[in-house]
Amino acid sequence: MKMPVAVLLLLALSTAIRTDAEESGGECGFKPSLKPRPHSVSILEFGAVGDGKTLNTLAFQNAIFYLKSFTDKGGAQLYVPPGKWLTGSFSLTSHLTLFVEKGAVILGSQDPSHWDLVDPLPSYGRGIELPGKRYQSLINGDMLHDVVVTGDNGTIDGQGSVWWDWFESHSLNYSRPHLVEFTSSDYVVVSNLTFLNAPAYSIHPVYCSNVAVQNISVSTPGESPYTIGIVPDSSNNVCIEDSRIEVGYDAISLKSGWDEYGIAYDRPTTDVYIRRVYLKSSSGSSVAFGSEMSGGISNVHVEQVHIYNSFSGIEFRTAKGRGGYIKRIIISDVELRNINTAFGAIGDCGSHPDDNFNPNALPVLDQITLQGVIGSNITTAGNFRGLAESPFTSLCLFNVSLAIRNTLSPWTCSNVVGFSESVSPEPCPELESSSVCYSLLNSYGKSTDI
């Protein structure tokens, strides 16, 4: 069955993305704009059946193989119409738009044999959960340029419940897959879709540049183990905007490699801009940094964030052996509601990939500014525990007002130095010293002393 050519052309004209990178003060460095794809085909043309039972992996693979022929002809679009399209993992190509129509659901198979196995990421040295290989993500791409995953609020459902059960029963032989993962790619857009029930992460750009995630919804059950929403990982120029994320563990988690492997790979996560997001993390943190941060994390601007019904609001995590740094972070205009711990910075968090890590590789946490925060029904204001060998420095709070249930000891601080002004409840003495604080001066990525 073929879609009318005029309909496919209209869809191509309305959904394709032109990728421009531009610097703008206080804004994302990467702003995608519309550009028509001159070619479009429907997955129906490759024998796919949208009954939720027929496996369509081969149809997706064949369609994308065909569309590779248009890479040097302006690119192409693969249209997924309404229906339930069961599939195993498949890889995209450059200059491609995957368009998931309203009423269309791409379903991840619950048979692990339908998910390919791939080598571990070099900055991790092994699977994040188990040594050795890992399952490939449902929708993936490596070394791509100009790739778009979008739609008219279509759905990508990982059907992760079987993976969560296997994880909790220690029945897996390899680390769980993600829903969408791009490696070593640039000019990537993920937009206008709903992501449900990821086995592990929902969206994972790693070793990528110029990534835009916009207007999406991510959801996994609160009890799903270590499910994470969006994970910018050793990537730069990443924008996350206008989205709602409700997951079991971390909503947004910035990472950059694990111990000696991340140190050796030496690719930081930098120039990340997050704004206008609604976040809920049942057992983790709604905005998390680390604990795998050995390549470094810097120049991150987070604003206009609503965090609710979460275990932790904002948390920085690291450990001895990580090396690396978390620095030049500014988080502003935040609303917290029904949170156990509003802020955390933990120096002894996380495990190690093996016994070959260097315990003398000490992480640096410096120039962190939290400002313009209002919180209601908060149990603990902050838990800041640095390392004696490498104290956390320039941790600064401005204009923070938290309604606290734990009025006896709302703050815990050790091995941390910072500054605070107009903060309630009154912070610990370690945050009342003279300190150089990080701020924005007219444009994103420039700092000044306060």
Side-chain angles (χ1 to χ4, degrees), residues 269-446:
T269 286
T270 187
D271 299 324
V272 178
Y273 194 88
I274 301 167
R275 67 176 179 179
R276 296 191 304 269
V277 290
Y278 290 78
L279 308 176
K280 174 185 175 182
S281 56
S282 296
S283 62
S285 183
S286 285
V287 180
F289 297 77
S291 74
E292 302 88 357
M293 39 63 68
S294 300
I297 301 171
S298 67
N299 296 342
V300 179
H301 185 196
V302 182
E303 68 174 4
Q304 300 175 57
V305 180
H306 303 267
I307 298 173
Y308 53 95
N309 303 341
S310 296
F311 182 77
S312 175
I314 299 163
E315 190 165 74
F316 304 87
R317 307 171 182 145
T318 188
K320 293 179 182 178
R322 291 286 192 265
Y325 53 83
I326 303 174
K327 63 183 181 182
R328 296 195 299 274
I329 314 295
I330 185 163
I331 301 175
S332 61
D333 191 6
V334 179
E335 179 189 20
L336 302 170
R337 178 167 46 89
N338 304 327
I339 310 295
N340 184 62
T341 301
F343 312 123
I346 313 300
D348 59 352
C349 183
S351 59
H352 302 282
D354 50 41
D355 294 332
N356 297 321
F357 71 95
N358 178 7
N360 295 317
L362 299 175
V364 171
L365 193 148
D366 182 48
Q367 300 180 69
I368 311 295
T369 297
L370 308 171
Q371 63 185 28
V373 181
I374 298 175
S376 60
N377 197 27
I378 310 297
T379 302
T380 300
N383 181 16
F384 301 131
R385 293 185 281 114
L387 297 167
E389 302 89 338
S390 183
F392 298 163
T393 54
S394 295
L395 182 58
C396 301
L397 282 69
F398 299 93
N399 300 316
V400 175
S401 178
L402 305 176
I404 299 293
R405 294 199 302 269
N406 179 12
T407 57
L408 293 178
S409 55
W411 301 89
T412 300
C413 300
S414 62
N415 299 309
V416 59
V417 177
F419 178 80
S420 59
E421 183 178 275
S422 301
V423 175
S424 175
E426 183 177 348
C428 42
E430 290 88 342
L431 300 180
E432 297 177 352
S433 62
S434 176
S435 185
V436 176
C437 295
Y438 179 64
S439 71
L440 299 181
L441 181 61
N442 298 323
S443 62
Y444 172 55
K446 297 178 181 178

Side-chain angles (χ1 to χ4, degrees), residues 41 62-71 76-78 93 96:
V41 297
N62 286 341
I64 292 163
F65 181 79
Y66 169 73
L67 293 175
K68 283 183 180 181
S69 64
F70 296 99
T71 297
Q77 174 178 270
L78 177 58
T93 189
L96 175 74

